[in-house]
Amino acid sequence: MTKQVQQLDRVIIRFAGDSGDGMQLTGDRFTSGTAEFGNDLSTLPNFPAEIRAPAGTLPGVSSFQLHFADHDILTPGDAPNVLVAMNPAALKANLGDLPRGADIIANTDEFTKRNLQKVGYDVSPLEDDSLAEWRLHPVPLTSLTVKALEGFDLSKKDAERSKNMFALGLLSWLYHRPTETTIKFLETKFAKRPDIAKANIAAFQAGWNYGETTESFSVSYEVKPAQLPPGVYRNISGNQALAYGLIAASVQSKLPLFLGSYPITPASDILHELSRHKRFGIRTFQAEDEIAGVGAALGAAFGGALGVTTTSGPGVALKAETVGLAVTTELPLIVVDVQRAGPSTGMPTKTEQTDLLMAMYGRNGESPLPIVAPSTPSDCFDAAIEAARLAVKYRTPVMLLSDGYLANGSEPWRVPGSAELPDISTEFASAPNGEDGVTFLPFRRDPETLARPWAIPGTAGLEHRIGGIEKADGTGNISYDPNNHDKMVRLRQAKIDGIAQDIPPLDVDDPDGDARVLVLGWGSTYGPIAAAVRRIRRAGGKVAQAHLRHLNPLPANTGEVLRAYDKVLLPEINLGQLALLLRARFLVDIISYNRVRGLPFKAEELAGVIQDVIDSE
């Protein structure tokens, strides 16, 4: 049977099922095939925090959304064109996001009376015409998988576990995805259990063959590769990119990298990734708690290493005292905060931007530090290098604010050549710096950066006092002198303020230069904001966009940019934290748009908000 092939410019697919159905793995493998094919893509994994949430219930639904296209895209998409629902809970939890006419591939085997009752269905929605607005494709995924694996020495339960690979095979056929990558992955993943590898491969191939032969799908779809700038590309998540950025920073600074960390969602993958790269001289230490992790990292910095600690919001709270110690000892330290929904334990697997004020002020005393925020998953690589540059050059702890959306999401990344990376090497103090030629002054400052010398412990003649009690200017001796304390507080602040002259000015995208509304953002809101701005401009609207990477200090021209527009709209996944800071500093009436749902903004949502602001002019 010859089937029609339809060309599409983009597709949004969402895989949804129980936490144990392997939806994250299925989505990840489909993403890998899509990246290999050459499409631009963006992903949104979404899963419960519980290790195994109650099976068949709404709280237990795990999903993975992938947006891929033949052109440049910025977000995982607002609404899926295709939903793969492995059970009634997955259907009910995601149906509200489906636009009319979208495809639903439903695993009919799981629509049992018991599973329907768990989520409040009196009758199966597959049979009562309640899904008439959508294109329903009922497929007995579980039983087809079991039948395909009849020749394997597997129990029925073990065979059923491969139904996600059957679904992956079906979708790979439906969208012409390459199969070799998935087959090789399964062979590698189950290398020690070749029987399981063969069974999963058989299920995957059975799904492909089902799509090819069944009459349920008379059309398959093709999305051509995107025209991306030349280079070597790979698909990368934010946590992977951040880990690679830290490795690159270690190489470019010529400093050994030490990570002191305690596992916490959603930052743990950085620890996992760095632990695989010992060949680069990376040392990873899984500490017994958050405080020990940052203490070890600061100790490594004192000893001449590039000290890093990774965590999320609750861990930042615990690390605060030691970060303050890093401020007063003026040692380079990178603190990575992969933000998640709070307060307290909150929603560990959901995203937010709610730690900005804690990063700014969440320590006792006047303890300023630079804050850097990446804007996309791949940008986490560059942001990590920038954080290391500032930490080493200015002898200061630096807070890097990623978040769950960036950490778990992925996109194509052009792998840079080593010549493209900045040289951020530094020199350790090697000789006395006092006027007499024999005295070492540990707090004598570089006149340009106000950074103090970095002396490796044990260097002859450079012995000096270290600790949290206030230091005397220059000598570093303990001092309770009021005027000295005032001077040291102002020097530490001036050092951070001076970084504004060492970072790029705030760039504004205003094509015609006559927009009256500016949309400002920071961190992971970049994609939805940029996509929304594109929509407004395509409709003939005029709007400018700017995005902040450096949040402390702000770029030197920030105030000038804000005052150049009649209205400034600032969407944040918090209750207006950056807006509060900008209003206080620049006396500009920022228009806040705030949603705190544990999810990224949708481009359509922001486009409506932007249009409302434009119309109110």
Side-chain angles (χ1 to χ4, degrees), residues 429-459:
S430 58
N433 60 355
E435 300 295 341
D436 57 7
V438 296
T439 304
F440 176 60
L441 301 175
F443 283 86
R444 185 170 191 173
R445 301 177 183 278
D446 180 293
E448 180 180 346
T449 64
L450 298 182
R452 76 174 187 88
W454 192 2
I456 300 296
T459 304

PDB file of all heavy atoms in Angstrom, residues 429-459:
ATOM      1  N   ALA A 429      49.644  35.100  42.986  1.00  0.00           N
ATOM      2  CA  ALA A 429      50.700  35.898  43.614  1.00  0.00           C
ATOM      3  C   ALA A 429      51.926  35.008  43.824  1.00  0.00           C
ATOM      4  O   ALA A 429      51.811  33.861  44.253  1.00  0.00           O
ATOM      5  CB  ALA A 429      50.212  36.454  44.946  1.00  0.00           C
ATOM      6  N   SER A 430      53.088  35.537  43.495  1.00  0.00           N
ATOM      7  CA  SER A 430      54.308  34.732  43.599  1.00  0.00           C
ATOM      8  C   SER A 430      55.424  35.415  44.388  1.00  0.00           C
ATOM      9  O   SER A 430      56.452  34.794  44.663  1.00  0.00           O
ATOM     10  CB  SER A 430      54.832  34.391  42.202  1.00  0.00           C
ATOM     11  OG  SER A 430      55.083  35.587  41.464  1.00  0.00           O
ATOM     12  N   ALA A 431      55.208  36.688  44.744  1.00  0.00           N
ATOM     13  CA  ALA A 431      56.255  37.425  45.452  1.00  0.00           C
ATOM     14  C   ALA A 431      55.606  38.465  46.347  1.00  0.00           C
ATOM     15  O   ALA A 431      54.456  38.867  46.131  1.00  0.00           O
ATOM     16  CB  ALA A 431      57.195  38.104  44.448  1.00  0.00           C
ATOM     17  N   PRO A 432      56.318  38.926  47.377  1.00  0.00           N
ATOM     18  CA  PRO A 432      55.783  39.988  48.236  1.00  0.00           C
ATOM     19  C   PRO A 432      55.412  41.214  47.414  1.00  0.00           C
ATOM     20  O   PRO A 432      56.048  41.521  46.402  1.00  0.00           O
ATOM     21  CB  PRO A 432      56.950  40.272  49.190  1.00  0.00           C
ATOM     22  CG  PRO A 432      57.738  38.998  49.219  1.00  0.00           C
ATOM     23  CD  PRO A 432      57.643  38.451  47.825  1.00  0.00           C
ATOM     24  N   ASN A 433      54.367  41.938  47.863  1.00  0.00           N
ATOM     25  CA  ASN A 433      53.902  43.111  47.120  1.00  0.00           C
ATOM     26  C   ASN A 433      53.919  44.379  47.960  1.00  0.00           C
ATOM     27  O   ASN A 433      53.384  45.406  47.551  1.00  0.00           O
ATOM     28  CB  ASN A 433      52.497  42.879  46.577  1.00  0.00           C
ATOM     29  CG  ASN A 433      51.481  42.602  47.675  1.00  0.00           C
ATOM     30  OD1 ASN A 433      51.843  42.484  48.856  1.00  0.00           O
ATOM     31  ND2 ASN A 433      50.211  42.485  47.305  1.00  0.00           N
ATOM     32  N   GLY A 434      54.515  44.301  49.157  1.00  0.00           N
ATOM     33  CA  GLY A 434      54.611  45.483  50.008  1.00  0.00           C
ATOM     34  C   GLY A 434      55.671  46.453  49.524  1.00  0.00           C
ATOM     35  O   GLY A 434      56.547  46.087  48.710  1.00  0.00           O
ATOM     36  N   GLU A 435      55.589  47.675  49.999  1.00  0.00           N
ATOM     37  CA  GLU A 435      56.545  48.703  49.583  1.00  0.00           C
ATOM     38  C   GLU A 435      57.968  48.344  49.965  1.00  0.00           C
ATOM     39  O   GLU A 435      58.932  48.739  49.299  1.00  0.00           O
ATOM     40  CB  GLU A 435      56.176  50.060  50.208  1.00  0.00           C
ATOM     41  CG  GLU A 435      54.788  50.578  49.829  1.00  0.00           C
ATOM     42  CD  GLU A 435      54.671  50.883  48.348  1.00  0.00           C
ATOM     43  OE1 GLU A 435      55.730  51.045  47.700  1.00  0.00           O
ATOM     44  OE2 GLU A 435      53.541  50.948  47.838  1.00  0.00           O
ATOM     45  N   ASP A 436      58.137  47.568  51.053  1.00  0.00           N
ATOM     46  CA  ASP A 436      59.475  47.220  51.509  1.00  0.00           C
ATOM     47  C   ASP A 436      60.064  46.026  50.765  1.00  0.00           C
ATOM     48  O   ASP A 436      61.208  45.651  50.982  1.00  0.00           O
ATOM     49  CB  ASP A 436      59.463  46.926  53.015  1.00  0.00           C
ATOM     50  CG  ASP A 436      58.488  45.809  53.387  1.00  0.00           C
ATOM     51  OD1 ASP A 436      57.925  45.172  52.464  1.00  0.00           O
ATOM     52  OD2 ASP A 436      58.293  45.572  54.603  1.00  0.00           O
ATOM     53  N   GLY A 437      59.266  45.399  49.900  1.00  0.00           N
ATOM     54  CA  GLY A 437      59.769  44.281  49.113  1.00  0.00           C
ATOM     55  C   GLY A 437      59.808  42.958  49.834  1.00  0.00           C
ATOM     56  O   GLY A 437      60.166  41.944  49.223  1.00  0.00           O
ATOM     57  N   VAL A 438      59.451  42.929  51.094  1.00  0.00           N
ATOM     58  CA  VAL A 438      59.484  41.666  51.848  1.00  0.00           C
ATOM     59  C   VAL A 438      58.124  41.332  52.454  1.00  0.00           C
ATOM     60  O   VAL A 438      57.888  40.204  52.870  1.00  0.00           O
ATOM     61  CB  VAL A 438      60.552  41.707  52.969  1.00  0.00           C
ATOM     62  CG1 VAL A 438      61.945  41.833  52.374  1.00  0.00           C
ATOM     63  CG2 VAL A 438      60.283  42.861  53.945  1.00  0.00           C
ATOM     64  N   THR A 439      57.232  42.305  52.501  1.00  0.00           N
ATOM     65  CA  THR A 439      55.919  42.095  53.115  1.00  0.00           C
ATOM     66  C   THR A 439      54.886  41.721  52.055  1.00  0.00           C
ATOM     67  O   THR A 439      54.891  42.280  50.953  1.00  0.00           O
ATOM     68  CB  THR A 439      55.468  43.375  53.838  1.00  0.00           C
ATOM     69  OG1 THR A 439      56.453  43.756  54.788  1.00  0.00           O
ATOM     70  CG2 THR A 439      54.128  43.157  54.543  1.00  0.00           C
ATOM     71  N   PHE A 440      54.022  40.772  52.417  1.00  0.00           N
ATOM     72  CA  PHE A 440      52.917  40.419  51.523  1.00  0.00           C
ATOM     73  C   PHE A 440      51.632  41.020  52.068  1.00  0.00           C
ATOM     74  O   PHE A 440      51.261  40.790  53.222  1.00  0.00           O
ATOM     75  CB  PHE A 440      52.768  38.902  51.397  1.00  0.00           C
ATOM     76  CG  PHE A 440      51.586  38.485  50.557  1.00  0.00           C
ATOM     77  CD1 PHE A 440      51.486  38.869  49.225  1.00  0.00           C
ATOM     78  CD2 PHE A 440      50.561  37.718  51.102  1.00  0.00           C
ATOM     79  CE1 PHE A 440      50.397  38.501  48.458  1.00  0.00           C
ATOM     80  CE2 PHE A 440      49.464  37.339  50.339  1.00  0.00           C
ATOM     81  CZ  PHE A 440      49.387  37.732  49.002  1.00  0.00           C
ATOM     82  N   LEU A 441      50.963  41.809  51.237  1.00  0.00           N
ATOM     83  CA  LEU A 441      49.700  42.439  51.611  1.00  0.00           C
ATOM     84  C   LEU A 441      48.567  41.728  50.875  1.00  0.00           C
ATOM     85  O   LEU A 441      48.334  41.982  49.684  1.00  0.00           O
ATOM     86  CB  LEU A 441      49.724  43.923  51.244  1.00  0.00           C
ATOM     87  CG  LEU A 441      50.828  44.764  51.893  1.00  0.00           C
ATOM     88  CD1 LEU A 441      50.804  46.194  51.355  1.00  0.00           C
ATOM     89  CD2 LEU A 441      50.672  44.764  53.407  1.00  0.00           C
ATOM     90  N   PRO A 442      47.867  40.811  51.550  1.00  0.00           N
ATOM     91  CA  PRO A 442      46.859  39.990  50.869  1.00  0.00           C
ATOM     92  C   PRO A 442      45.639  40.767  50.387  1.00  0.00           C
ATOM     93  O   PRO A 442      44.880  40.259  49.566  1.00  0.00           O
ATOM     94  CB  PRO A 442      46.471  38.964  51.932  1.00  0.00           C
ATOM     95  CG  PRO A 442      46.788  39.617  53.231  1.00  0.00           C
ATOM     96  CD  PRO A 442      47.983  40.464  52.977  1.00  0.00           C
ATOM     97  N   PHE A 443      45.410  41.992  50.901  1.00  0.00           N
ATOM     98  CA  PHE A 443      44.268  42.784  50.467  1.00  0.00           C
ATOM     99  C   PHE A 443      44.696  44.094  49.799  1.00  0.00           C
ATOM    100  O   PHE A 443      43.939  45.055  49.762  1.00  0.00           O
ATOM    101  CB  PHE A 443      43.322  43.043  51.640  1.00  0.00           C
ATOM    102  CG  PHE A 443      42.485  41.827  51.971  1.00  0.00           C
ATOM    103  CD1 PHE A 443      42.975  40.848  52.819  1.00  0.00           C
ATOM    104  CD2 PHE A 443      41.239  41.643  51.401  1.00  0.00           C
ATOM    105  CE1 PHE A 443      42.237  39.729  53.116  1.00  0.00           C
ATOM    106  CE2 PHE A 443      40.491  40.516  51.684  1.00  0.00           C
ATOM    107  CZ  PHE A 443      40.980  39.549  52.540  1.00  0.00           C
ATOM    108  N   ARG A 444      45.892  44.061  49.219  1.00  0.00           N
ATOM    109  CA  ARG A 444      46.294  45.171  48.361  1.00  0.00           C
ATOM    110  C   ARG A 444      45.675  44.924  46.983  1.00  0.00           C
ATOM    111  O   ARG A 444      45.833  43.867  46.401  1.00  0.00           O
ATOM    112  CB  ARG A 444      47.808  45.241  48.249  1.00  0.00           C
ATOM    113  CG  ARG A 444      48.284  46.452  47.475  1.00  0.00           C
ATOM    114  CD  ARG A 444      49.782  46.653  47.581  1.00  0.00           C
ATOM    115  NE  ARG A 444      50.188  47.927  47.053  1.00  0.00           N
ATOM    116  CZ  ARG A 444      51.426  48.419  47.132  1.00  0.00           C
ATOM    117  NH1 ARG A 444      52.374  47.694  47.739  1.00  0.00           N
ATOM    118  NH2 ARG A 444      51.720  49.607  46.634  1.00  0.00           N
ATOM    119  N   ARG A 445      44.994  45.915  46.443  1.00  0.00           N
ATOM    120  CA  ARG A 445      44.115  45.676  45.306  1.00  0.00           C
ATOM    121  C   ARG A 445      44.697  46.115  43.966  1.00  0.00           C
ATOM    122  O   ARG A 445      45.460  47.080  43.892  1.00  0.00           O
ATOM    123  CB  ARG A 445      42.768  46.373  45.527  1.00  0.00           C
ATOM    124  CG  ARG A 445      42.075  45.889  46.782  1.00  0.00           C
ATOM    125  CD  ARG A 445      40.770  46.610  47.063  1.00  0.00           C
ATOM    126  NE  ARG A 445      40.232  46.107  48.332  1.00  0.00           N
ATOM    127  CZ  ARG A 445      39.534  44.985  48.448  1.00  0.00           C
ATOM    128  NH1 ARG A 445      39.261  44.272  47.369  1.00  0.00           N
ATOM    129  NH2 ARG A 445      39.103  44.578  49.626  1.00  0.00           N
ATOM    130  N   ASP A 446      44.294  45.392  42.929  1.00  0.00           N
ATOM    131  CA  ASP A 446      44.575  45.803  41.564  1.00  0.00           C
ATOM    132  C   ASP A 446      43.808  47.105  41.318  1.00  0.00           C
ATOM    133  O   ASP A 446      42.588  47.158  41.523  1.00  0.00           O
ATOM    134  CB  ASP A 446      44.115  44.714  40.597  1.00  0.00           C
ATOM    135  CG  ASP A 446      44.385  45.066  39.143  1.00  0.00           C
ATOM    136  OD1 ASP A 446      43.762  46.017  38.633  1.00  0.00           O
ATOM    137  OD2 ASP A 446      45.192  44.372  38.512  1.00  0.00           O
ATOM    138  N   PRO A 447      44.461  48.149  40.868  1.00  0.00           N
ATOM    139  CA  PRO A 447      43.771  49.443  40.720  1.00  0.00           C
ATOM    140  C   PRO A 447      42.656  49.422  39.679  1.00  0.00           C
ATOM    141  O   PRO A 447      41.733  50.225  39.752  1.00  0.00           O
ATOM    142  CB  PRO A 447      44.900  50.397  40.302  1.00  0.00           C
ATOM    143  CG  PRO A 447      45.984  49.510  39.764  1.00  0.00           C
ATOM    144  CD  PRO A 447      45.891  48.236  40.523  1.00  0.00           C
ATOM    145  N   GLU A 448      42.719  48.496  38.721  1.00  0.00           N
ATOM    146  CA  GLU A 448      41.698  48.445  37.674  1.00  0.00           C
ATOM    147  C   GLU A 448      40.487  47.631  38.107  1.00  0.00           C
ATOM    148  O   GLU A 448      39.340  48.062  37.937  1.00  0.00           O
ATOM    149  CB  GLU A 448      42.282  47.845  36.392  1.00  0.00           C
ATOM    150  CG  GLU A 448      41.274  47.763  35.262  1.00  0.00           C
ATOM    151  CD  GLU A 448      41.865  47.157  34.005  1.00  0.00           C
ATOM    152  OE1 GLU A 448      43.105  47.041  33.931  1.00  0.00           O
ATOM    153  OE2 GLU A 448      41.093  46.793  33.105  1.00  0.00           O
ATOM    154  N   THR A 449      40.711  46.454  38.694  1.00  0.00           N
ATOM    155  CA  THR A 449      39.611  45.556  39.033  1.00  0.00           C
ATOM    156  C   THR A 449      39.240  45.584  40.511  1.00  0.00           C
ATOM    157  O   THR A 449      38.186  45.083  40.895  1.00  0.00           O
ATOM    158  CB  THR A 449      39.969  44.110  38.668  1.00  0.00           C
ATOM    159  OG1 THR A 449      41.085  43.684  39.481  1.00  0.00           O
ATOM    160  CG2 THR A 449      40.333  43.987  37.195  1.00  0.00           C
ATOM    161  N   LEU A 450      40.098  46.148  41.348  1.00  0.00           N
ATOM    162  CA  LEU A 450      39.959  46.126  42.809  1.00  0.00           C
ATOM    163  C   LEU A 450      40.041  44.696  43.376  1.00  0.00           C
ATOM    164  O   LEU A 450      39.659  44.459  44.523  1.00  0.00           O
ATOM    165  CB  LEU A 450      38.659  46.797  43.273  1.00  0.00           C
ATOM    166  CG  LEU A 450      38.518  48.285  42.940  1.00  0.00           C
ATOM    167  CD1 LEU A 450      37.208  48.835  43.501  1.00  0.00           C
ATOM    168  CD2 LEU A 450      39.699  49.078  43.478  1.00  0.00           C
ATOM    169  N   ALA A 451      40.532  43.753  42.571  1.00  0.00           N
ATOM    170  CA  ALA A 451      40.702  42.383  43.043  1.00  0.00           C
ATOM    171  C   ALA A 451      41.959  42.285  43.887  1.00  0.00           C
ATOM    172  O   ALA A 451      42.965  42.931  43.606  1.00  0.00           O
ATOM    173  CB  ALA A 451      40.796  41.424  41.861  1.00  0.00           C
ATOM    174  N   ARG A 452      41.902  41.442  44.915  1.00  0.00           N
ATOM    175  CA  ARG A 452      43.086  41.232  45.751  1.00  0.00           C
ATOM    176  C   ARG A 452      43.937  40.101  45.166  1.00  0.00           C
ATOM    177  O   ARG A 452      43.462  39.344  44.303  1.00  0.00           O
ATOM    178  CB  ARG A 452      42.666  40.907  47.178  1.00  0.00           C
ATOM    179  CG  ARG A 452      42.154  39.481  47.408  1.00  0.00           C
ATOM    180  CD  ARG A 452      41.907  39.249  48.890  1.00  0.00           C
ATOM    181  NE  ARG A 452      41.576  37.866  49.216  1.00  0.00           N
ATOM    182  CZ  ARG A 452      42.469  36.928  49.496  1.00  0.00           C
ATOM    183  NH1 ARG A 452      43.768  37.200  49.434  1.00  0.00           N
ATOM    184  NH2 ARG A 452      42.083  35.695  49.818  1.00  0.00           N
ATOM    185  N   PRO A 453      45.182  39.953  45.601  1.00  0.00           N
ATOM    186  CA  PRO A 453      46.028  38.863  45.095  1.00  0.00           C
ATOM    187  C   PRO A 453      45.459  37.498  45.506  1.00  0.00           C
ATOM    188  O   PRO A 453      44.829  37.357  46.552  1.00  0.00           O
ATOM    189  CB  PRO A 453      47.381  39.106  45.759  1.00  0.00           C
ATOM    190  CG  PRO A 453      47.344  40.503  46.273  1.00  0.00           C
ATOM    191  CD  PRO A 453      45.921  40.813  46.565  1.00  0.00           C
ATOM    192  N   TRP A 454      45.711  36.508  44.668  1.00  0.00           N
ATOM    193  CA  TRP A 454      45.313  35.122  44.952  1.00  0.00           C
ATOM    194  C   TRP A 454      46.588  34.336  45.221  1.00  0.00           C
ATOM    195  O   TRP A 454      47.354  34.032  44.304  1.00  0.00           O
ATOM    196  CB  TRP A 454      44.563  34.569  43.755  1.00  0.00           C
ATOM    197  CG  TRP A 454      43.843  33.264  43.990  1.00  0.00           C
ATOM    198  CD1 TRP A 454      43.749  32.548  45.140  1.00  0.00           C
ATOM    199  CD2 TRP A 454      43.108  32.532  42.999  1.00  0.00           C
ATOM    200  NE1 TRP A 454      43.002  31.427  44.945  1.00  0.00           N
ATOM    201  CE2 TRP A 454      42.587  31.381  43.639  1.00  0.00           C
ATOM    202  CE3 TRP A 454      42.839  32.726  41.654  1.00  0.00           C
ATOM    203  CZ2 TRP A 454      41.821  30.431  42.970  1.00  0.00           C
ATOM    204  CZ3 TRP A 454      42.066  31.785  40.983  1.00  0.00           C
ATOM    205  CH2 TRP A 454      41.563  30.657  41.628  1.00  0.00           C
ATOM    206  N   ALA A 455      46.824  34.047  46.472  1.00  0.00           N
ATOM    207  CA  ALA A 455      48.070  33.393  46.877  1.00  0.00           C
ATOM    208  C   ALA A 455      47.802  31.939  47.241  1.00  0.00           C
ATOM    209  O   ALA A 455      46.930  31.644  48.060  1.00  0.00           O
ATOM    210  CB  ALA A 455      48.690  34.121  48.067  1.00  0.00           C
ATOM    211  N   ILE A 456      48.559  31.033  46.621  1.00  0.00           N
ATOM    212  CA  ILE A 456      48.405  29.604  46.914  1.00  0.00           C
ATOM    213  C   ILE A 456      48.968  29.316  48.307  1.00  0.00           C
ATOM    214  O   ILE A 456      50.089  29.722  48.623  1.00  0.00           O
ATOM    215  CB  ILE A 456      49.146  28.760  45.867  1.00  0.00           C
ATOM    216  CG1 ILE A 456      48.589  29.024  44.473  1.00  0.00           C
ATOM    217  CG2 ILE A 456      49.046  27.271  46.200  1.00  0.00           C
ATOM    218  CD1 ILE A 456      47.161  28.607  44.291  1.00  0.00           C
ATOM    219  N   PRO A 457      48.225  28.649  49.158  1.00  0.00           N
ATOM    220  CA  PRO A 457      48.743  28.311  50.492  1.00  0.00           C
ATOM    221  C   PRO A 457      50.060  27.540  50.387  1.00  0.00           C
ATOM    222  O   PRO A 457      50.206  26.654  49.535  1.00  0.00           O
ATOM    223  CB  PRO A 457      47.631  27.421  51.079  1.00  0.00           C
ATOM    224  CG  PRO A 457      46.409  27.793  50.327  1.00  0.00           C
ATOM    225  CD  PRO A 457      46.853  28.156  48.959  1.00  0.00           C
ATOM    226  N   GLY A 458      50.986  27.915  51.222  1.00  0.00           N
ATOM    227  CA  GLY A 458      52.284  27.252  51.222  1.00  0.00           C
ATOM    228  C   GLY A 458      53.341  27.965  50.413  1.00  0.00           C
ATOM    229  O   GLY A 458      54.515  27.569  50.440  1.00  0.00           O
ATOM    230  N   THR A 459      52.936  29.021  49.685  1.00  0.00           N
ATOM    231  CA  THR A 459      53.924  29.786  48.929  1.00  0.00           C
ATOM    232  C   THR A 459      54.800  30.560  49.907  1.00  0.00           C
ATOM    233  O   THR A 459      54.306  31.359  50.708  1.00  0.00           O
ATOM    234  CB  THR A 459      53.243  30.756  47.950  1.00  0.00           C
ATOM    235  OG1 THR A 459      52.364  30.036  47.102  1.00  0.00           O
ATOM    236  CG2 THR A 459      54.283  31.480  47.102  1.00  0.00           C
TER     237      THR A 459
END
